[in-house]
Amino acid sequence: MEQHRTHYGIDAPRVPIVYVLVGCGALFISIIELIHDQKSGYWILIYALFMLIGAGLHLHTSLRGKFFIWGNVFAKLRLPENARILDLGCGHGAVLIKAAKFLGGSGEAVGVDLWRKVDQSGNDIHATEKNALIENVSNKIQLITADMTELPLQDESFDFIFSSLAIHNIKSKEGRDHALREATRVLKPGGTLIIVDISKTKEYMRTLQSLSFKKLSRQNTGWIGWWTGPWLSTYLIKATKAKINS
């Protein structure tokens, strides 16, 4: 009997490819230099190892690290069975499906994405549907093709909003601010917003503060969230939308 497995793709797939190609090229050159007793070969060798280790760290965080980070998030987060959850930039559904497993019959998890393969390898709505089917949560999930800066969703309709490694893909600050404002619009008062991302997180904090979020926190997730190295770390942001008249 064929065994089906979920596939969640690789984030920013071009990055490890470039690092491996450059690293292998530098490794080849360093060997040639060292054969000819050129001291520069040692420096080129160090550079080659730097690039190859960077590729390994990127792949580790994409395939294992981010799952560990979100596993810790859900371990500490109490999701009611009847919650409505929104995942901005859901991709293959790693976070969306994890959240859906906590939901009961009246709960719902909605995933929004533009399904760009440059952001995640093999990114496709049908791949996400297949993962949901394999994990037996298809009946709890709704997938929508939409831009997170213009959500086709009702105001104050979600209890929790998650976003994993997605908002930074919006190139302009105006666009990122708009995405956070849209998230604020569809989040219920007292609802929780959790963002895991690799850059612009201080910017997100300032925007969320201007939108009157409370209990704001931002923390570095450590080496488990390194993308090529510590200079590109993953940060976890948690925020609670202020209740009316609170």
Side-chain angles (χ1 to χ4, degrees):
M1 183 176 180
E2 183 181 0
Q3 184 178 9
H4 297 284
R5 296 181 58 189
T6 53
H7 297 280
Y8 293 108
I10 297 172
D11 298 279
R14 294 179 182 176
V15 173
I17 291 173
V18 170
Y19 268 64
V20 168
L21 290 176
V22 173
C24 288
L27 182 61
F28 176 77
I29 293 172
S30 71
I31 292 172
I32 299 299
E33 292 286 289
L34 291 172
I35 288 175
H36 291 86
D37 293 326
Q38 298 294 319
K39 292 184 179 180
S40 59
Y42 291 105
W43 292 107
I44 298 173
L45 176 60
I46 291 172
Y47 177 73
L49 293 175
F50 171 84
M51 296 300 288
L52 293 173
I53 291 171
L57 286 171
H58 182 103
L59 291 172
H60 175 268
T61 301
S62 184
L63 298 174
R64 297 181 66 88
K66 70 178 182 183
F67 293 92
F68 180 84
I69 292 168
W70 279 103
N72 282 340
V73 169
F74 285 113
K76 299 174 183 177
L77 190 66
R78 295 181 179 179
L79 283 177
E81 290 189 353
N82 63 345
R84 290 201 78 221
I85 294 165
L86 175 63
D87 185 0
L88 297 175
C90 65
H92 285 71
V95 176
L96 183 71
I97 290 170
K98 181 75 172 178
K101 290 182 177 181
F102 290 92
L103 302 179
S106 60
E108 183 183 26
V110 178
V112 172
D113 208 305
L114 290 174
W115 320 107
R116 301 195 321 161
K117 291 179 175 59
V118 68
D119 298 330
Q120 194 173 77
S121 63
N123 200 10
D124 181 86
I125 191 170
H126 300 298
T128 310
E129 290 172 341
K130 182 178 179 180
N131 284 339
L133 183 64
I134 292 171
E135 294 289 350
N136 198 31
V137 293
S138 294
N139 61 322
K140 302 176 185 177
I141 284 177
Q142 178 187 2
L143 298 176
I144 300 174
T145 300
D147 192 323
M148 70 176 77
T149 65
E150 193 173 352
L151 296 171
L153 301 167
Q154 293 182 353
D155 294 357
E156 300 181 355
S157 53
F158 291 92
D159 303 288
F160 295 87
I161 296 181
F162 305 132
S163 183
S164 181
L165 305 164
I167 299 176
H168 77 274
N169 290 318
I170 301 173
K171 301 304 180 185
S172 69
K173 181 182 183 302
E174 180 183 5
R176 293 188 295 272
D177 285 350
H178 201 168
L180 292 175
R181 291 181 185 279
E182 278 290 271
T184 304
R185 178 181 66 80
V186 301
L187 183 63
K188 294 179 181 179
T192 299
L193 171 65
I194 298 179
I195 300 171
V196 169
D197 217 334
I198 58 174
S199 62
K200 314 297 183 184
T201 54
K202 289 183 179 179
E203 173 191 297
Y204 304 163
M205 291 288 285
R206 290 191 293 269
T207 301
L208 293 174
Q209 286 171 347
S210 72
L211 294 171
S212 300
F213 272 83
K214 294 186 174 182
K215 299 179 181 178
L216 276 159
S217 66
R218 171 182 174 269
Q219 68 180 79
N220 191 318
T221 60
W223 72 269
I224 199 74
W226 287 358
W227 300 86
T228 71
W231 45 85
L232 198 56
S233 297
T234 303
Y235 286 84
L236 170 65
I237 291 176
K238 295 181 181 179
T240 302
K241 183 177 177 179
K243 294 182 179 180
I244 299 174
N245 298 325
S246 64

